[in-house]
Amino acid sequence: DAGVIQSPRHEVTEMGQEVTLRCKPISGHDYLFWYRQTMMRGLELLIYFNNNVPIDDSGMPEDRFSAKMPNASFSTLKIQPSEPRDSAVYFCASSLAPGGMNTEAFFGQGTRLTVV
Amino acid sequence: SQQGEEDPQALSIQEGENATMNCSYKTSINNLQWYRQNSGRGLVHLILIRSNEREKHSGRLRVTLDTSKKSSSLLITASRAADTASYFCATVPQGGKLIFGQGTELSVKP
């Protein structure tokens, strides 16, 4: 397996534009997580899905952020409209269902978003 | 809010020395995990310790867990320059939500 795949790797956009980040989890993983990493706030959990269903979105900062998982192999995180304070590295991670023997998460390489 | 807090925030040592990082958390957990992040890269899983385990080894890594104190430590023995990275503890409370601490930035000087 190629691991968790995120695209794009880098995104520069102007304030007010819509941004869509994409993630392909590892096949067979039931959980998918979206994180945001900044120097000031560290790694923040934004939302996570179990079997394509959003379980906890309490970390989504504002209504400008939305996430979907239309099927087991694809998820998107959308920011509309984007603002400079959204600049961060966004990570997607996937893992097997907890309760099994091993629940480690596998991370993608991240998308570095810059909003100017 | 963050579940885990690492200590120290930054650590600088010489190659060959041991590095110890600590993590404290707030609520009961299913397991605790340590991850490593090289600059500009994603996080990589190092080791997982379950709530009913007290110590675990993997190569040069040794992890301990004290659930009564809600704390864990990661020891890297005989450090190498290539160990330079940020190290994060992550807790898994009931429900599967993986929550990370702020991390310890380790610098190993050759």
Side-chain angles (χ1 to χ4, degrees):
Chain A
D1 201 313
V4 176
I5 299 173
Q6 291 186 246
S7 65
R9 289 294 309 278
H10 301 274
E11 177 81 33
V12 180
T13 191
E14 292 186 347
M15 183 173 62
Q17 296 297 308
E18 176 180 298
V19 176
T20 299
L21 311 181
R22 297 172 176 80
C23 175
K24 181 182 186 320
I26 292 174
S27 177
H29 282 189
D30 295 324
Y31 280 70
L32 183 139
F33 307 84
W34 281 101
Y35 288 89
R36 177 172 69 176
Q37 186 177 37
T38 62
M39 289 292 292
M40 289 296 293
R41 301 174 71 91
L43 266 165
E44 300 174 278
L45 177 62
L46 301 178
I47 185 172
Y48 78 99
F49 296 82
N50 179 18
N51 292 323
N52 313 338
V53 176
I55 302 300
D56 187 338
D57 65 354
S58 59
M60 297 285 261
E62 300 170 36
D63 291 344
R64 299 183 296 105
F65 286 69
S66 63
K68 294 181 180 179
M69 193 164 185
N71 57 63
S73 60
F74 184 66
S75 177
T76 60
L77 178 67
K78 186 176 293 186
I79 308 172
Q80 166 63 18
S82 57
E83 297 182 4
R85 60 197 169 114
D86 301 330
S87 297
V89 181
Y90 291 81
F91 287 102
C92 175
S94 70
S95 71
L96 293 169
M101 295 301 292
N102 191 344
T103 59
E104 66 176 280
F106 293 82
F107 279 75
Q109 292 298 307
T111 295
R112 181 174 295 277
L113 173 64
T114 304
V115 183
V116 298
Chain B
S1 62
Q2 299 296 337
Q3 160 81 313
E5 294 184 2
E6 282 94 341
D7 169 57
Q9 289 187 343
L11 180 61
S12 181
I13 59 174
Q14 294 293 131
E15 207 166 28
E17 294 180 340
N18 295 342
T20 300
M21 289 159 268
N22 303 297
C23 169
S24 60
Y25 57 93
K26 298 174 184 174
T27 64
S28 61
I29 59 172
N30 180 292
N31 65 68
L32 185 144
Q33 305 175 29
W34 286 91
Y35 287 78
R36 165 192 169 129
Q37 183 181 34
N38 286 82
S39 180
R41 308 296 295 273
L43 283 79
V44 175
H45 180 264
L46 294 175
I47 194 166
L48 178 154
I49 185 166
R50 295 182 178 81
S51 60
N52 62 352
E53 296 176 313
R54 292 297 167 256
E55 187 170 315
K56 203 161 185 180
H57 297 255
S58 177
R60 293 184 296 112
L61 305 181
R62 172 178 169 256
V63 170
T64 61
L65 179 64
D66 187 335
T67 53
S68 66
K69 295 181 179 178
K70 293 187 169 57
S71 68
S72 173
S73 68
L74 171 68
L75 168 68
I76 303 175
T77 60
S79 62
R80 305 166 183 168
D83 294 328
T84 294
S86 292
Y87 292 82
F88 295 85
C89 72
T91 53
V92 182
Q94 300 302 324
K97 190 170 164 175
L98 190 60
I99 304 174
F100 286 84
Q102 294 286 355
T104 292
E105 195 172 317
L106 174 66
S107 174
V108 182
K109 300 184 188 311

